Amino acid sequence: MKAQSSDLTGKLLIAMPGIGDPRFDGAVVFMCAHSEDGAMGLMINKVSQDISVSDVFSQLEIRVTPDMRPLPVHFGGPVEVGRGFVLHSTDYDADHASMDVGPGYAMTASREILRDMARGTGPAERILCLGYAGWGPGQLEGEIGQNGWLSCDATTEIVFHTPDAQKWQAALLSLGVSPALLSADAGRA
């Protein structure tokens, strides 16, 4: 298996079985930022069962047009669950509100992107998330060391084109790892 990079920005984290937090069971997290100060990412494979895009847009008083493409609302993580983030392709830039988060990816947390998506414009590829996953300094590295996560390259195919229920398996397979062979126990020499 591939060694863990020191900067996981723009990579995918894949939750290992037995991660210990049910919110992350089977999770795939797109890493938006990772440094010695901590890390931030968005779960891209868990659709919210409690809130719809029409609920979000109605609360923000954004009018949806018939041109808006279907858009599920994802549970991005347990931090600031009332805050919205859009992970998207770099064909869209919201006047200094979009942040590059890896080659070919950007993240925007503005009303402007939501208004554009409601009109049927905005980024060609997008995932709307409420909340995010966050780690303090050294916390993620500790979880990786305890066999909590694997990482792999983020591909447009996995991030935007693989059905949510299949992203975890697809991310593992991109590393050559069979999900059936994973164990929740870390090896000890």
Side-chain angles (χ1 to χ4, degrees):
M1 268 186 261
K2 201 164 144 174
Q4 298 294 335
S5 168
S6 59
D7 182 2
L8 296 172
T9 302
K11 304 277 189 188
L12 296 178
L13 285 184
I14 309 160
M16 294 291 286
I19 191 163
D21 185 334
R23 297 172 296 185
F24 291 103
D25 282 345
V28 177
V29 178
F30 184 95
M31 293 303 297
C32 298
H34 182 227
S35 72
E36 63 186 26
D37 298 325
M40 182 266 186
L42 299 171
M43 272 195 277
I44 60 167
N45 67 326
K46 297 197 177 262
V47 175
S48 173
Q49 302 303 311
D50 302 324
I51 191 163
S52 70
V53 72
S54 59
D55 295 333
V56 172
F57 285 11
S58 174
Q59 184 177 6
L60 295 173
E61 298 178 358
I62 295 173
R63 190 171 81 65
V64 175
T65 70
D67 296 323
M68 186 177 105
R69 295 176 285 139
L71 182 66
V73 176
H74 287 76
F75 171 66
V79 182
E80 293 191 48
V81 294
R83 189 167 174 203
F85 301 88
V86 180
L87 177 66
H88 58 88
S89 51
T90 55
D91 60 324
Y92 180 89
D93 184 19
D95 277 339
H96 309 294
S98 297
M99 178 175 96
D100 286 334
V101 292
Y105 299 95
M107 180 185 67
T108 304
S110 71
R111 291 174 69 103
E112 178 185 352
I113 191 171
L114 297 176
R115 281 193 297 269
D116 288 344
M117 291 184 331
R119 291 184 198 118
T121 60
E125 310 283 0
R126 74 274 196 274
I127 296 175
L128 172 61
C129 297
L130 291 181
Y132 67 90
W135 294 267
Q139 183 182 3
L140 178 57
E141 292 77 7
E143 290 179 14
I144 291 170
Q146 293 296 313
N147 200 37
W149 301 97
L150 289 176
S151 66
C152 70
D153 290 334
T155 66
T156 301
E157 184 59 36
I158 293 172
V159 174
F160 295 121
H161 300 288
T162 299
D164 292 319
Q166 296 170 17
K167 287 179 182 178
W168 185 77
Q169 181 175 350
L172 285 170
L173 291 172
S174 77
L175 292 172
V177 175
S178 170
L181 300 177
L182 290 180
S183 167
D185 299 321
R188 301 283 184 249

